[in-house]
Amino acid sequence: MPEVDVTPQRVLCVGPEAAAARLRRALARLPAADARRLRSVPDAEAATAALREDVADALLVATEDPLETVVALRAAGVERPLAALCADDAEGVRLLACGADEYLPEAAFSPHLLERTLRLLEGARPGRLEPATHPEGRTTLPGVPDFERQLEHALHGAARHERRIAVGVLGLDGFPALAHRLDGADTEALLHAVADRLRRALRRSDLVARGPDDEFLLLLESTPDLSDLAATASKVLAAVAEDRPVRLRGSLGLAVYPGSARGGEALLSAARRALARARAAGGDDFRLDQTAAEALSRRRLAIEDALPGALERDEFRLLYQPRVCAATGAVVGVEVLLRWHSPDFGAVDPSVFIPVAERIGCIERIDDWVLGAALADAGRWYADGHRVRLGVNASAPQLRDAGLAGRIAGALRATGLPPELLELEMTERLLVDDDAPQRARFAALTALGIGLAVDDFGIGFSSLAYLKHFPVHTLKIDRMFVAPLPDGRDDAAIVRAVIGLGHALGLRVVAEGVETDAQLAFLREAGCDEAQGWLVGRPCSADAFAERLATAP
């Protein structure tokens, strides 16, 4: 019988040598024809360096913290197929959302599952459609054939892991008339500019491609909840409408797998029908495919029914994300993050349930619980000798409550936390409500000695006048400006300008979404005061944060 010529798959294990040895033992139990060449490196940094020499066709992450490793690899530009060992399916779903192509839960690990995973990786991320670069520095997006090919692979993975994906078709309103006034080169330059803005507005795991004429095609992977599409759609339309010499507006149609359709062609057709409805309604808006919209409406009603009792059922949890001094790396603050784990819906994203809570009138009770629980945790850290500022997000109804300052004063006395270690974070949008009662409420808060921070600075509606009239202490630069650093020239200029503005006004400046060493180095050189993001600290429990404080040098 003639020998079969088999080219072994080259696999790079990212993790300790003990993990690599375990994988080699598992591979040794497979048939010879399924042999792989496996080498190992200890961490994401070493993997990135090794891949520059093209040493692997696929990666297996087997580190103690696979989520952090996957994020670091994707942030470093690693596009090879990647699977990760994880504790369970819940962590596996988070891994997929962070850029992994497959996951292997520990409880189900076996040589045959490993073999199946490696075979699936052979077909994953074919070319992953990294954008080409125009000679003048503009982004050249993939075209329709590449998009359709990637969509089919995404649908295959979504079916296998029972997760949703969304397809969007974006059209530029009034573009034919605009193109008629411009020459061909200016028209193409405008489309390239839109492409660049769309890529910055979306996650790294999402895909943007050029469709026919003025269309852009979007593939939004690992959508955890249909409701978060509204936030994503708003970001897309805002990116199209950024102030530029030529003012644009866009309309967006969205379809969802499996609710709208199960095939790629059918999903694109459903998204185009939704786009037509958005344009028929006047444009500058988005529409969801009607089938998916009906499912969304049913889910919203169910969430509205369950949310008011979630507090009494003890379904809310607080996580804490560290803020560090950009110059020294020392932990100087922490942001409070609210999470809802529902027995019926699983983990519900805050962008979904917070607007619902505001609409049905239970946000005040939730806000009070968050503030009280967070101050109690911070009081314990302070009693143990740790001075860290506590950043608590404040909602619009909470800030309009004339009794807020009194309740905070009582909570500070009860917990023993000095007022200067509490900071209320608000969005720029809340500063637009510039009236005498609002200014009086802010004055009452700052009279206690607590700080006020403007969150997501740069993407809202604030102006220098608002910063002058309100007693703001901190500016937090939105992650959309941090993500392209240090290479994004426009974003780098914006970040430097915000840091300079903040310091000129005597404000502390914090950068959000810091995920790479290069971003942190840029921010440090630019004079940014503090950094927040997965590079410097992932969200964790109160006990885990206390342990980090206790073990810090």
Side-chain angles (χ1 to χ4, degrees):
M1 184 173 182
E3 290 187 2
V4 178
D5 183 17
V6 176
T7 302
Q9 184 186 31
R10 301 172 302 161
V11 179
L12 184 65
C13 172
V14 185
E17 182 55 37
R22 179 192 183 195
L23 293 172
R24 289 191 184 95
R25 289 194 298 271
L27 290 172
R29 297 173 59 184
L30 298 174
D34 291 322
R36 268 83 177 178
R37 288 181 290 168
L38 187 143
R39 59 179 293 183
S40 66
V41 291
D43 52 33
E45 183 177 359
T48 304
L51 290 173
R52 295 193 188 102
E53 302 175 9
D54 191 28
V55 299
D57 304 306
L59 290 86
L60 275 174
V61 171
T63 54
E64 184 176 344
D65 191 342
L67 280 166
E68 183 175 7
T69 304
V70 169
V71 168
L73 288 167
R74 294 307 189 207
V78 172
E79 291 295 340
R80 283 174 175 77
L82 183 157
L85 290 168
C86 60
D88 50 32
D89 286 325
E91 185 177 38
V93 171
R94 294 195 295 274
L95 283 162
L96 295 174
C98 292
D101 299 290
E102 300 290 339
Y103 68 88
L104 294 83
E106 277 289 348
F109 181 83
S110 69
H112 293 293
L113 179 61
L114 177 60
E115 174 192 17
R116 175 180 174 274
T117 300
L118 291 173
R119 286 190 180 280
L120 290 171
L121 288 184
E122 289 176 350
R125 293 183 177 251
R128 191 46 197 170
L129 308 184
E130 272 299 287
T133 301
H134 190 276
E136 297 176 14
R138 300 189 297 256
T139 300
T140 301
L141 295 180
V144 173
D146 284 334
F147 181 87
E148 291 176 341
R149 176 167 53 87
Q150 190 65 30
L151 174 57
E152 290 305 317
H153 281 276
L155 288 171
H156 179 62
R160 189 164 64 250
H161 296 296
E162 298 183 351
R163 68 182 193 269
R164 296 185 183 95
I165 61 172
V167 169
V169 179
L170 171 70
L172 303 181
D173 297 342
F175 190 78
L178 176 61
H180 183 71
R181 299 197 304 269
L182 301 174
D183 62 32
D186 288 341
T187 300
E188 191 61 23
L190 184 60
L191 291 172
H192 278 294
V194 173
D196 287 333
R197 278 139 56 184
L198 289 173
R199 284 186 58 81
R200 291 200 305 270
L202 294 172
R203 300 168 300 181
R204 182 178 177 81
S205 58
D206 298 331
L207 174 66
V208 184
R210 278 285 296 272
D213 301 323
D214 64 322
E215 280 188 0
F216 292 88
L217 307 179
L218 312 178
L219 174 56
L220 312 174
E221 294 194 57
S222 300
T223 304
D225 191 289
L226 289 177
S227 300
D228 73 351
L229 284 179
T232 300
S234 297
K235 288 173 62 177
V236 167
L237 296 179
V240 173
E242 281 185 24
D243 287 318
R244 289 292 189 268
V246 177
R247 187 74 168 174
L248 289 175
R249 290 290 186 270
S251 296
L252 175 63
L254 292 162
V256 179
Y257 168 89
S260 302
R262 292 184 174 270
E265 185 176 345
L267 277 170
L268 281 168
S269 296
R272 285 199 168 92
R273 290 194 297 271
L275 170 61
R277 288 173 44 233
R279 282 179 158 164
D284 192 21
D285 203 352
F286 69 93
R287 289 292 185 274
L288 188 62
D289 169 66
Q290 288 177 319
T291 305
E294 291 171 3
L296 173 57
S297 297
R298 291 193 297 271
R299 183 176 176 83
R300 276 180 175 168
L301 289 173
I303 287 176
E304 286 183 7
D305 287 340
L307 186 56
L311 196 57
E312 287 73 18
R313 294 191 298 269
D314 194 29
E315 293 173 2
F316 289 118
R317 295 289 182 272
L318 295 185
L319 296 180
Y320 296 91
Q321 184 164 28
R323 280 164 46 179
V324 304
C325 173
T328 66
V331 177
V332 293
V334 65
E335 180 178 357
V336 182
L337 304 176
L338 176 63
R339 297 292 183 260
W340 179 25
H341 294 275
S342 164
D344 298 318
F345 311 111
V348 185
D349 194 90
S351 65
V352 174
F353 71 81
I354 293 297
V356 173
E358 292 180 348
R359 187 169 63 251
I360 65 178
C362 65
I363 190 65
E364 290 88 349
R365 291 193 303 116
I366 295 174
D367 283 337
D368 284 346
W369 177 83
V370 170
L371 188 61
L375 284 172
D377 287 334
R380 287 190 288 272
W381 302 331
Y382 179 72
D384 290 336
H386 306 296
R387 290 183 60 88
V388 291
R389 284 188 308 278
L390 181 74
V392 181
N393 290 282
S395 68
Q398 187 177 27
L399 290 172
R400 287 194 291 266
D401 182 358
L404 177 61
R407 293 200 304 278
I408 290 179
L412 288 170
R413 287 193 298 269
T415 59
L417 188 72
E420 66 270 18
L421 295 184
L422 173 61
E423 193 169 69
L424 295 183
E425 299 186 7
M426 68 196 78
T427 63
E428 292 183 73
R429 192 182 299 271
L430 296 181
L431 296 183
V432 177
D433 188 15
D434 182 12
D435 55 27
Q438 183 75 304
R439 288 197 296 273
R441 288 191 290 270
F442 283 177
L445 291 170
T446 55
L448 295 176
I450 68 175
L452 298 178
V454 180
D455 200 9
D456 302 332
F457 186 78
I459 64 171
F461 303 91
S462 71
S463 71
L464 294 179
Y466 299 134
L467 295 180
K468 178 181 178 181
H469 292 157
F470 286 99
V472 173
H473 303 84
T474 302
L475 295 183
K476 300 187 74 175
I477 303 173
D478 186 75
R479 66 184 64 243
M480 72 173 289
F481 300 111
V482 175
L485 298 178
D487 299 323
R489 184 172 57 186
D490 291 345
D491 299 279
I494 290 171
V495 169
R496 289 185 185 277
V498 172
I499 293 171
L501 166 66
H503 289 170
L505 295 174
L507 307 179
R508 182 185 302 112
V509 181
V510 182
E512 298 182 292
V514 180
E515 296 183 351
T516 69
D517 290 324
Q519 291 169 350
L520 182 59
F522 174 91
L523 293 164
R524 186 183 295 123
E525 183 273 332
C528 189
D529 300 298
E530 297 176 14
Q532 178 179 328
W534 278 29
L535 178 70
V536 299
R538 294 177 57 196
C540 61
S541 68
D543 289 342
F545 184 68
E547 184 178 349
R548 174 169 178 172
L549 293 175
T551 57

